Amino acid sequence: MSPAETSRATETVPVIGPGHSMSSVTNKISSIVLTQKTPLSWYIGFAIAFGLMQLLLVSIVYLLVAGVGVWGLNVPVAWGLAIVNFVWWVGIGHAGTLISAILLLLRQQWRTSINRFAEAMTLFAVACAGLFPLLHLGRPQYFYWLMPYPSTMGVWPQFRSPLVWDVFAVSTYATVSLLFWYVGLIPDMATLRDRSRNRFARAIYGILAMGWRGSARHWRRYEQAYLLLAGLATPLVISVHSVVSFDFAVSLLPGWHATIFPPYFVAGAIFSGFAMVLTLAIPLRAVYGLQDFVTMRHIENMAKIMLVSGLIVCYGYGMEAFTGWYGGHDLEMFVMSNRAFGPYAPYYWALIFCNVGVTQLLWFKKIRTSVPILFVVALVANVGMWLERFIIVVTSLHRDFLPSSWDMYTPTFWDWSLYFGTIGLFFSLLFLFIRFLPMISIFEMRELLHDVESEGTADAHD
Amino acid sequence: MPMTEAARIHGVLAEFDSPEALLQATRKAASAGFTEVEAYTPYPVHGLADSLGFTRTGIPALVFTGGLIGCISGYLLQYWVSVHAYPINVGGRPLHSWPSFIPVTFETTVLCAALFAVLGMLGLNGLPMPYHPVFNIPQFERASQDRFFLYILSRDEKFDLRETRRFLENLKPREVFDVPE
């Protein structure tokens, strides 16, 4: 690189490294799946994740045998870790849809190399999230009672309840995310089918590619359908976490009954989701040598989105406390002071430290472009967002209107094992995805390469 | 055109290096009067479908229809359940409390529109289609990687194996292939 180029590179790092051609991009991404030796770190990572997943299976079996009494739930705190983890996982999923849909509509070219695994992350996070309300039902075999169907009992769901809205929102979100992800994969399945030299792999990728030939007419319909899906997914992703927040906000409980909840939850979801994308992208690009595709530009842009959404979350904390005080309602004021100075105060201040304190580091370009520090910041944000949901769920419930019913909530071993088990499930799925599917959209990288070459620079939409 | 050839040959395929060359070749094929023309590319190339005379895909109308069906049926389901099938009086609120029905109506709208978009795209594209004659050409595997193909089908009225081959060869492709049925 000449000095002139270097100085330009420090100003705007390109979205794709120099010296790549259509075949080198195709080769590099598809070889991870088809020909490269699977790195040792993959085996180690998968073994750990798979081990944790066994903990999930044990926890589920024990829960089904013994009942939800094995959790630390009690009467004021009937929503414990199950709901905390549900909201946490759903929130993490949001970044995937945001990257693939909203950034597509905004014509942000840099989304291309991170959208595929962010979408996969969404799917797996929603799968983990979905487990918790189902298991929390106590009798998960009757989960279909949540759906409107003509039963012999003549009973129908109560459509005025946000809990029923939640069923529709999350199941629609899971379905649309799966469709979006699969549609994006079809042309890449065709590439893998055509490059694979193994008969078995060829057949599997061939079936999944559904006979995709790359016809110009097909591409035209494909692009239109994909764009419309993005347009549909954008309001959907906003609606999902808004509906999740309605579970709380529509109730009359102090600390939950707040109009700021929907936007504050959506911002929190984006914040935690981008933190998770960074947590995953940083090790992945190092292990698989993808620094040319996931460049510092991507890393820094994601850090910027974390900062913006994190600031909205801080505003949410501020307004929660402010309305609690300004409303002048005894119980609202009590809930706020109980959060900050009650028995769960350490959790509350840890949350403030993680989400309000550490996030401010992202103002500095030095931090945003330092990969190891950013990795730590992202991990801290993941923890902070978990604490936020814990504070919202538990502190509002444990001291309710009647002091005689006050109680403390302490998660048991089985609460934690289920939570860590879903982390195992999430990473197991993610490792399998990395091994068997292209983690970067190959055809979009080819298109991006062509656009970058014909424009001379990648900054047209910056 | 001789019937024996038409029965054996599905079309003639020409391989190009760049999207620009393919785009130019497609325009030439159109001005030469070919109508049964197809182009294959490893990524969507802008203007290619237009040069094939393909402008209306039918997808937007389909997605709109899906959204409309989801919206109306989602709302009517909730109305019927809450007012007729299983009315519950909660604190004297109206049975038909429409604001509460909006979130689910929105979700069913998006769900149906998305299903129509994906299934409509696949259906109109004729996918899944496990076999297609172009897959007989080994070189065609580059269509999903880094090469661009122009294909003139034998069912085109102007098709004549020798003439069409010569026409394609004049477009300076890398190679021209006869595609068997």
Side-chain angles (χ1 to χ4, degrees):
Chain A
M1 236 190 219
S2 73
E5 272 175 307
T6 333
S7 70
R8 201 189 70 89
T10 48
E11 282 159 26
T12 49
V13 184
V15 286
I16 185 166
H20 274 291
S21 71
M22 248 192 292
S23 52
S24 77
V25 167
T26 308
N27 202 356
K28 176 130 193 176
I29 302 170
S30 63
S31 73
I32 294 173
V33 177
L34 294 174
T35 51
Q36 261 182 41
K37 210 170 157 286
T38 308
L40 183 66
S41 50
W42 186 91
Y43 286 104
I44 296 171
F46 183 67
I48 295 170
F50 199 68
L52 264 181
M53 202 181 88
Q54 306 314 305
L55 185 63
L56 172 72
L57 298 181
V58 172
S59 316
I60 290 178
V61 169
Y62 184 61
L63 177 78
L64 295 185
V65 172
V68 282
V70 301
W71 290 346
L73 301 175
N74 51 39
V75 163
V77 190
W79 279 12
L81 281 207
I83 304 302
V84 174
N85 298 335
F86 164 71
V87 180
W88 190 71
W89 277 120
V90 173
I92 283 172
H94 279 41
T97 322
L98 189 95
I99 289 172
S100 44
I102 299 183
L103 296 186
L104 178 78
L105 298 181
L106 296 176
R107 295 179 185 278
Q108 294 294 308
Q109 280 184 325
W110 61 274
R111 77 180 260 290
T112 301
S113 49
I114 49 173
N115 66 340
R116 171 70 48 74
F117 76 77
E119 281 167 39
M121 182 195 82
T122 295
L123 274 181
F124 305 151
V126 172
C128 293
L131 275 178
F132 285 100
L134 287 182
L135 294 173
H136 198 243
L137 289 175
R139 294 177 191 174
Q141 68 271 31
Y142 297 130
F143 74 94
Y144 60 91
W145 286 10
L146 295 163
M147 286 291 165
Y149 73 103
S151 73
T152 50
M153 300 173 285
V155 177
W156 290 85
Q158 170 57 271
F159 282 107
R160 283 170 287 190
S161 159
L163 296 175
V164 171
W165 305 348
D166 217 14
V167 173
F168 278 81
V170 175
S171 56
T172 300
Y173 183 53
T175 314
V176 172
S177 303
L178 181 67
L179 288 174
F180 201 59
W181 186 65
Y182 184 64
V183 167
L185 270 169
I186 292 173
D188 285 358
M189 295 294 192
T191 303
L192 292 179
R193 170 197 68 201
D194 293 341
R195 284 187 67 88
S196 167
R197 292 289 163 260
N198 172 319
R199 274 190 59 190
F200 179 67
R202 221 182 159 88
I204 297 284
Y205 290 125
I207 290 167
L208 292 172
M210 298 200 280
W212 182 261
R213 310 187 284 283
S215 148
R217 291 181 172 84
H218 291 187
W219 276 123
R220 183 61 168 268
R221 290 202 185 94
Y222 178 91
E223 279 198 296
Q224 256 180 2
Y226 196 71
L227 195 66
L228 287 169
L229 270 183
L232 290 166
T234 301
L236 178 66
V237 71
I238 309 274
S239 85
V240 173
H241 231 61
S242 299
V243 168
V244 169
S245 82
F246 289 157
D247 291 344
F248 300 94
V250 172
S251 74
L252 293 175
L253 212 64
W256 285 4
H257 188 63
T259 47
I260 189 116
F261 262 38
Y264 155 54
F265 266 53
V266 172
I270 294 168
F271 178 66
S272 66
F274 272 89
M276 189 55 108
V277 177
L278 277 173
T279 312
L280 302 176
I282 288 172
L284 270 184
R285 73 197 273 274
V287 170
Y288 287 97
L290 295 172
Q291 285 90 341
D292 280 357
F293 299 156
V294 183
T295 63
M296 280 318 292
R297 168 99 168 267
H298 297 98
I299 303 279
E300 202 192 338
N301 281 2
M302 286 193 275
K304 283 180 187 167
I305 295 185
M306 262 185 80
L307 176 62
V308 172
S309 50
L311 289 176
I312 301 175
V313 171
C314 297
Y315 174 78
Y317 299 151
M319 284 322 280
E320 255 190 324
F322 174 76
T323 45
W325 166 75
Y326 190 70
H329 190 284
D330 294 349
L331 286 162
E332 285 282 353
M333 285 205 272
F334 170 72
V335 166
M336 286 304 145
S337 67
N338 184 45
R339 267 183 195 176
F341 309 109
Y344 291 105
Y347 290 83
Y348 182 76
W349 294 109
L351 143 76
I352 296 294
F353 168 76
C354 292
N355 290 356
V356 181
V358 174
T359 308
Q360 306 312 318
L361 290 175
L362 297 172
W363 284 103
F364 303 101
K365 194 181 172 78
K366 269 231 171 67
I367 305 270
R368 289 199 305 266
T369 52
S370 154
V371 173
I373 299 181
L374 201 56
F375 184 68
V376 174
V377 171
L379 281 179
V380 170
N382 283 324
V383 174
M385 286 310 294
W386 189 89
L387 286 169
E388 178 201 302
R389 276 67 177 255
F390 183 86
I391 288 293
I392 290 174
V393 170
V394 176
T395 60
S396 295
L397 285 172
H398 89 116
R399 289 187 173 171
D400 62 358
F401 304 101
L402 271 182
S404 60
S405 65
W406 287 4
D407 205 346
M408 288 295 288
Y409 169 72
T410 321
T412 62
F413 171 80
W414 296 106
D415 276 306
W416 291 113
S417 67
L418 195 70
Y419 172 53
F420 288 110
T422 53
I423 293 179
L425 171 66
F426 176 77
F427 280 98
S428 298
L429 290 169
L430 206 72
F431 275 110
L432 290 175
F433 158 73
I434 290 164
R435 178 62 192 81
F436 293 111
L437 292 172
M439 70 174 117
I440 293 178
S441 172
I442 311 176
F443 86 89
E444 283 180 309
M445 287 303 277
R446 287 192 284 253
E447 193 182 9
L448 177 69
L449 195 71
H450 183 256
D451 291 350
V452 170
E453 274 169 3
S454 52
E455 282 161 17
T457 143
D459 306 331
H461 302 302
D462 198 18
Chain B
M1 98 188 126
M3 282 311 289
T4 47
E5 264 181 16
R8 279 187 291 111
I9 295 296
H10 188 265
V12 183
L13 187 69
E15 178 187 357
F16 295 90
D17 267 327
S18 70
E20 290 77 16
L22 174 65
L23 208 53
Q24 214 167 27
T26 315
R27 292 202 182 107
K28 282 191 182 144
S31 55
F34 289 106
T35 49
E36 296 290 329
V37 182
E38 193 49 270
Y40 301 103
T41 56
Y43 57 84
V45 174
H46 284 280
L48 193 58
D50 296 296
S51 69
L52 292 169
F54 182 71
T55 45
R56 298 186 72 86
T57 61
I59 297 281
L62 210 57
V63 175
F64 182 75
T65 313
L68 209 59
I69 291 173
C71 178
I72 293 171
S73 53
Y75 191 90
L76 287 182
L77 169 78
Q78 296 176 79
Y79 174 79
W80 178 77
V81 164
S82 313
V83 177
H84 297 288
Y86 197 59
I88 300 176
N89 185 335
V90 184
R93 289 179 187 81
L95 292 174
H96 180 207
S97 36
W98 68 268
S100 312
F101 300 164
I102 298 301
V104 172
T105 307
F106 173 78
E107 303 299 337
T108 54
T109 306
V110 170
L111 181 65
C112 285
L115 285 171
F116 269 58
V118 174
L119 298 179
M121 184 272 287
L122 292 175
L124 290 173
N125 282 348
L127 300 174
M129 186 192 280
Y131 175 77
H132 190 277
V134 289
F135 288 130
N136 288 324
I137 307 300
Q139 188 66 12
F140 188 72
E141 68 175 39
R142 303 283 291 262
S144 68
Q145 298 173 42
D146 55 353
R147 292 289 154 75
F148 301 80
F149 291 85
L150 182 65
Y151 189 50
I152 299 181
L153 282 87
S154 64
R155 64 164 188 259
D156 194 304
E157 277 174 19
K158 275 201 68 188
F159 188 87
D160 173 277
L161 184 55
R162 224 153 295 151
E163 284 296 308
T164 310
R165 246 194 107 86
R166 193 168 309 135
F167 169 77
L168 284 175
E169 273 158 4
N170 282 336
L171 299 174
K172 306 250 173 356
R174 289 175 67 94
E175 215 175 330
V176 176
F177 309 90
D178 296 342
V179 178
E181 279 285 358

